[in-house]
Amino acid sequence: MAEPLFDRLALIGIGLIGSSLAQVARREGLVREIAISTRSEKTLERARELGLGDVYTLDPAEAVADADLVVLCIPVGACEATMQTIADSLKPGAILTDVGSVKMSVIDQIAPHVPDTVHFIPGHPIAGTEHSGPDAGFPDLFQNRWCILTPDKSTSRDAIDRLTAFWRGCGSDVDTMEPGRHDLVLAITSHLPQLISYNIVGTADDLETVTKSEVIKYSAGGFRDFTRLAASDPTMWRDVCLHNKDAILEMLARFSEDLSAMQRAIRWGDAGALFDLFSRTRSIRKSIIEAGQETPAPDFGRPHKKGRD
Amino acid sequence: MAEPLFDRLALIGIGLIGSSLAQVARREGLVREIAISTRSEKTLERARELGLGDVYTLDPAEAVADADLVVLCIPVGACEATMQTIADSLKPGAILTDVGSVKMSVIDQIAPHVPDTVHFIPGHPIAGTEHSGPDAGFPDLFQNRWCILTPDKSTSRDAIDRLTAFWRGCGSDVDTMEPGRHDLVLAITSHLPQLISYNIVGTADDLETVTKSEVIKYSAGGFRDFTRLAASDPTMWRDVCLHNKDAILEMLARFSEDLSAMQRAIRWGDAGALFDLFSRTRSIRKSIIEAGQETPAPDFGRPHKKGRD
Ligand SMILES: NC(=O)c1ccc[n+]([C@@H]2O[C@H](COP(=O)([O-])OP(=O)(O)OC[C@H]3O[C@@H](n4cnc5c(N)ncnc54)[C@H](OP(=O)(O)O)[C@@H]3O)[C@@H](O)[C@H]2O)c1
Ligand SMILES: NC(=O)c1ccc[n+]([C@@H]2O[C@H](COP(=O)([O-])OP(=O)(O)OC[C@H]3O[C@@H](n4cnc5c(N)ncnc54)[C@H](OP(=O)(O)O)[C@@H]3O)[C@@H](O)[C@H]2O)c1
């Protein structure tokens, strides 16, 4: 195993993302020591039982004190308050990053409090599951996924390179991007799909003409696909909506406009328009599979064996 | 192996569903002989290469001639023309069924042409993948899935029981339902999710502010889930839209109404409303998993191993 890239990694927040980072950093020998801090006794205790780190504390300032890499793994809306707590304890020369699903707002919350001696590089791994908490983490979560960093022009090249090496060590490819562009791109590739999933599951739940038990029994017709994203953590997604409002509203407007056109085509029985729309959407999946971002197995490779699903 | 339930099974259409039926019927010894008919030389040849049946013909009337179970496995919009071709060749006492995703329209197309001596029982297995054609079929497709039959009051009990036994032999549970109710229930559990998937992929494809390569690279943020359904056969789904128009438009209207409410909550930063909506959608997935209609594995059990996805 190569030399560790960092001496002490501090993870502030130890849910799905924090726990996965702890496990891969340990397995790949990316850091010498891991300090873990989280808000609640209960989660901290669970992290300890899982053996995710070396040092455990409820005080984030204590966790970051000697750390040369600090990763905030908390909801987007919690960044400012947490930053205020840790700002004075950050070690000179340390790299401070985060994993939040929104970047402009996180920068607004954090940047004003960052000491001159600390390198702040916002980040976002495009990897996740619908589960939360320390038990949901696993070391291969970031494997073959992209991690986006949004440094500004003044950020030290050396610090960016070291953080890039860390994410590569986690199995990811790394891109850099302007934070505003990140928020726009993720609004279509992540936030809109998430909201549409919540919405369709909500619609089904509210119907008075079809019972919940019918929806459940016949969900393999397609509906069940949407319930995966709609089972994601409500706090995380509330915060994403509140903190990436403009880009999300723009994508929702586009989606609604297109949906109205489809509705019209169905109402008027416009077979040609429907066929065209349903044909041109195929190639994107093919490209996603070729890019290694999706499994080629039919039905996501869901089990279809006798007695197994 | 038990006695076969039927002597000769005729499959009219040998795509995903027909091919899967051929394979499971053969493996489970449900029928003595399988006759296959399809529209094109090419598909028929492929079915022969795959060894899916015993008799192959381009003439559906020839395939049904001696069959005591006939299953139409063709797009919903093709039922009337095919029925006109086979009506005079159906064997007295035979059971005629189909697998179409819509039931009212299929009944309107078929029922007027059914000879008095033939038992017509419309059907729909709630099982599928995004792939089409004979190569996409596999014998476990129907395992643990529901099959809905929509017989009318005059249908022979014995015929219903025999068709039920056939679907059970394929691994499915069987429900009976009124055709109108089927079309309403499937509009929410299958047709709406399908159309929403096509729509969101179409929206992403059309954006001039985000490039296609960005959509592809960062699709693991959620978008890729929708591309699966949106890769389904355009002919099949065009026909479903044209033939279940009213129920689909009703569900689209409900969905749009709910989406507007969500849009408003985001615009006005209504954190409580967003949190509530995002919380109540979790339990449906749990119920679907408990009902055996979904895998409990995170992320549909997609591979996350090093170098494997
Ligand atoms: N889940 C995904 O798919 C995904 C993917 C990419 C990026 N992200 C981003 O990663 C971050 C964490 O997500 P996650 O999925 O790991 O979440 P998670 O599993 O729910 O864990 C959240 C962690 O943040 C802590 N926390 C929650 N609210 C807090 C608050 N108000 N102040 C301080 N700490 C708080 C929790 O502490 P306690 O348990 O001790 O209360 C827990 O340690 C989010 O910013 C999210 O946008 C998530
Ligand atoms: N796919 C699913 O997930 C799913 C699930 C449940 C029910 N269904 C229903 O099952 C039926 C078949 O779907 P599938 O997925 O098996 O389709 P598929 O794989 O595309 O196969 C379609 C079959 O129908 C034939 N066909 C197509 N157009 C025809 C026409 N105008 N006249 C006569 N034959 C025609 C094709 O013949 P050639 O190849 O020779 O042209 C082929 O044999 C549809 O009614 C669909 O609603 C589908």
Side-chain angles (χ1 to χ4, degrees), chain A residues 13-17 38-40 43 73-76 78 82 99-101 124-125 127-129 132-133 233 236:
Chain A
I14 193 73
L16 169 70
I17 303 291
T38 188
R39 185 177 52 166
S40 71
T43 303
C73 305
I74 56 179
V76 163
T82 300
V99 297
S101 307
H124 178 205
T129 78
S132 299
D233 184 56
M236 166 179 166

Side-chain angles (χ1 to χ4, degrees), chain A residues 85-102:
Chain A
T85 312
I86 62 171
D88 291 342
S89 307
L90 291 165
K91 181 170 145 182
I95 294 175
L96 170 67
T97 187
D98 77 306
V99 297
S101 307
V102 176

